[in-house]
Amino acid sequence: MSTVDFLAQEKVWFDKPRYDEAERRFYEHRNGSSQPSQDVGANSILQDIARARENIQKSLAGSASSSTNAADQGEFISRIRNLELENQSLHKVVEDLRAALSKLECRVTVLEKSPATVTAAPAPSVPYTNGTTVQQKTSAPVKEEDDDDDDIDLFGSDEDEEAEKLKEQRLKEYAAKKAKKPTLIAKSSILLDVKPWDDETDMAKLEECVRSVQADGLLWGTSKLVPVGYGIKKLQIACVVEDDKVGTDMLEEEITKFEDYIQSVDIAAFNKI
């Protein structure tokens, strides 16, 4: 049996797509009368929605403008209130100035009238010293001078001489006691760094040169060699000096005189004793 004969005997619906298309057209034609009415209803709904949107936009624009107007009005009112407060404060200041001016005028008038009344008094006066009149009192000093004259003893007295002798004796005793009291001597401890020229410098000779510096109030202490670098060592030596007799400048000048051995002198430490 061939394939064609087999298909001829089978019940196969080869034209189904045509029938489906015909059925679709039938239903479309049947429903075609109600579609315009549905389109009209949809258009009316769309128009209503558009009108509602326009109304909403208009209302929003009106509320925004009203809010801006209200804000402007509030700012304007606040400015007016501030101006009123400033005006009130200025009025108060002006009133205070007027009161002060009136007081000054009263004082000036009183001061202008006061010289006439003072000149009428029997006692002489000096006009206007810091805004007030000062009367000169001549009787009181004369009376004090008379009292002083009465107190003066022209012949002296033995009691005064004894008091002066006692005073001189006590002053001499105090001076002698003060001279016997030992005075404190201010001293300082100094640590010096003495640097040579190079590593070939004789450090023993360098230390001998440093210790050869002698002065009243100078006492040399211990010393040691401190490596600096590249085989070079510096001499670190301590000394005690009296501040009134020996100073650091004098020490540096005397030590740096040995130019053959010493390059420089620095103060490493300085302490009061």
Side-chain angles (χ1 to χ4, degrees), residues 14-262:
F14 291 102
D15 295 335
K16 187 176 185 302
R18 293 173 60 189
Y19 286 99
D20 290 339
E21 183 67 20
E23 185 179 2
R24 184 179 65 77
R25 289 179 180 178
F26 173 75
Y27 283 112
E28 286 181 354
H29 181 70
R30 184 179 178 182
N31 296 328
S33 60
S34 62
Q35 186 174 1
S37 61
Q38 291 177 358
D39 293 338
V40 171
N43 291 330
S44 62
I45 291 171
L46 291 174
Q47 289 177 0
D48 294 336
I49 292 170
R51 289 175 184 174
R53 286 180 178 176
E54 290 179 358
N55 293 328
I56 291 169
Q57 290 178 355
K58 289 179 180 179
S59 63
L60 289 173
S63 63
S65 61
S66 63
S67 63
T68 53
N69 292 329
D72 294 337
Q73 289 179 359
E75 185 178 0
F76 183 70
I77 291 169
S78 64
R79 287 182 179 179
I80 290 173
R81 289 178 180 175
N82 292 330
L83 289 174
E84 289 178 353
L85 292 174
E86 290 180 358
N87 191 12
Q88 291 177 0
S89 62
L90 288 174
H91 278 298
K92 188 176 181 181
V93 170
V94 170
E95 292 295 332
D96 294 338
L97 289 174
R98 286 179 180 175
L101 184 61
S102 62
K103 290 180 180 179
L104 287 174
E105 289 178 353
C106 294
R107 289 182 180 179
V108 169
T109 54
V110 170
L111 291 174
E112 288 177 352
K113 293 178 180 179
S114 60
T117 57
V118 172
T119 52
S125 63
V126 179
Y128 300 107
T129 302
N130 293 330
T132 58
T133 58
V134 179
Q135 294 182 354
Q136 293 181 350
K137 297 180 181 180
T138 56
S139 60
V142 172
K143 187 175 181 180
E144 290 178 357
E145 290 177 358
D146 295 338
D147 295 337
D148 294 337
D149 292 338
D150 295 337
D151 294 337
I152 294 174
D153 188 2
L154 298 177
F155 299 100
S157 61
D158 297 335
E159 294 179 357
D160 295 337
E161 292 178 358
E162 291 178 358
E164 289 178 0
K165 288 179 180 180
L166 182 61
K167 185 177 180 181
E168 290 177 359
Q169 184 178 358
R170 288 181 179 177
L171 288 173
K172 289 179 181 179
E173 291 177 356
Y174 176 75
K177 188 184 292 185
K178 190 173 181 181
K180 292 179 181 179
K181 190 176 181 180
T183 57
L184 295 175
I185 299 173
K187 294 182 180 181
S188 301
S189 175
I190 304 173
L191 185 64
L192 299 175
D193 284 344
V194 184
K195 297 178 182 177
W197 288 103
D198 52 22
D199 57 346
E200 296 180 356
T201 304
D202 188 0
M203 298 304 293
K205 186 66 177 176
L206 185 144
E207 183 178 357
E208 183 181 351
C209 294
V210 172
R211 291 184 180 275
S212 65
V213 177
Q214 297 294 329
D216 186 18
L218 173 61
L219 179 63
W220 292 107
T222 59
S223 63
K224 65 179 179 178
L225 296 177
V226 179
V228 178
Y230 302 101
I232 302 174
K233 296 182 179 180
K234 65 180 180 180
L235 176 66
Q236 198 170 69
I237 186 168
C239 64
V240 178
V241 298
E242 294 182 10
D243 296 341
D244 295 336
K245 297 179 180 180
V246 181
T248 56
D249 295 335
M250 187 272 286
L251 281 175
E252 292 178 3
E253 290 177 1
E254 293 295 328
I255 293 172
T256 51
K257 286 181 180 180
F258 303 98
E259 298 177 354
D260 295 337
Y261 301 97
I262 297 170

